[in-house]
Amino acid sequence: MNICVFLSAADLDERYTAPARDFARLLGKAGHTLVWGGSDTGLMKVVADGVEEAGGRLVGVSVDFLAHKARPNADQMVVAKDLAERKALLLAKSDAVVIMVGGAGTLDEATEILELKKHGKHTKPVVLLNTAGFYDGLKTQFRRMDEEGFLPIPLAELVLFADDAPTALAYLESSAL
């Protein structure tokens, strides 16, 4: 599978890097391809390193103003003209989506992917990897949206909130069958 991972390019502590590294190793070991923002910094680098070390492929989609931070030895690297094109290319090149910890950019990517899925623009499985409870608040908000009728499809069909890497990858692999 080509698995898109949205995540931070910031340098983060082990509370976030260790679980990200574990997920990356599982992804690579299973022979999957990482489709990611292409950065060779921070958590994006941690995940790319883990996938590559475990034998997986790397497909990056950078953006022109961040191209200087792009990983030089990716199997494939595309440079988009803007963030909107980047998100569209990341989704087009993937079979499934995982959202890891991140800031405003990651949250933007997550909400757009979920909005597109909500409207039937894609049917790819989406997982929010809830490392160290990072997305607990968002999970509560989405449950409220579901309970109060703001989502036209059940939350369980929209996204899986997974607490660990094995659960996330097992869901993606079972959804692809």
Side-chain angles (χ1 to χ4, degrees):
M1 292 176 66
N2 290 339
I3 300 175
C4 176
V5 178
F6 291 114
L7 70 166
S8 179
D11 290 318
L12 302 170
D13 66 43
E14 278 297 302
R15 164 177 54 151
Y16 299 118
T17 58
R21 195 175 297 109
D22 291 343
F23 178 77
R25 287 181 183 141
L26 287 175
L27 194 153
K29 190 175 181 181
H32 300 300
T33 296
L34 171 68
V35 180
W36 92 118
S39 182
D40 204 29
T41 62
L43 199 59
M44 283 195 193
K45 178 178 178 19
V46 169
V47 170
D49 287 349
V51 169
E52 186 175 53
E53 289 165 9
R57 292 186 70 246
L58 303 177
V59 174
V61 182
S62 188
V63 65
D64 62 357
F65 64 89
L66 295 175
H68 64 283
K69 294 183 178 185
R71 189 176 186 100
N73 62 342
D75 294 294
Q76 179 185 358
M77 184 64 67
V78 177
V79 178
K81 69 181 184 312
D82 57 33
L83 292 171
E85 181 184 46
R86 181 192 206 185
K87 286 184 284 188
L89 287 168
L90 285 163
L91 183 61
K93 290 178 175 294
S94 65
D95 302 310
V97 177
V98 174
I99 299 137
M100 290 186 170
V101 298
T106 304
L107 188 58
D108 169 64
E109 292 159 342
T111 55
E112 182 164 334
I113 292 302
L114 294 174
E115 186 69 8
L116 290 170
K117 186 169 183 179
K118 181 182 92 173
H119 290 290
K121 299 299 181 185
H122 77 87
T123 58
K124 299 170 185 185
V126 179
V127 173
L128 267 153
L129 191 50
N130 194 22
T131 302
F134 187 81
Y135 286 117
D136 284 350
L138 189 59
K139 185 176 183 179
T140 299
Q141 185 61 46
F142 269 103
R143 283 184 177 156
R144 183 174 181 183
M145 288 177 197
D146 191 28
E147 291 164 1
E148 295 186 17
F150 288 93
L151 301 177
I153 62 174
L155 182 59
E157 293 176 24
L158 187 63
V159 62
L160 172 76
F161 284 84
D163 291 328
D164 58 52
T167 301
L169 192 57
Y171 172 78
L172 297 178
E173 290 175 339
S174 69
S175 297
L177 300 176

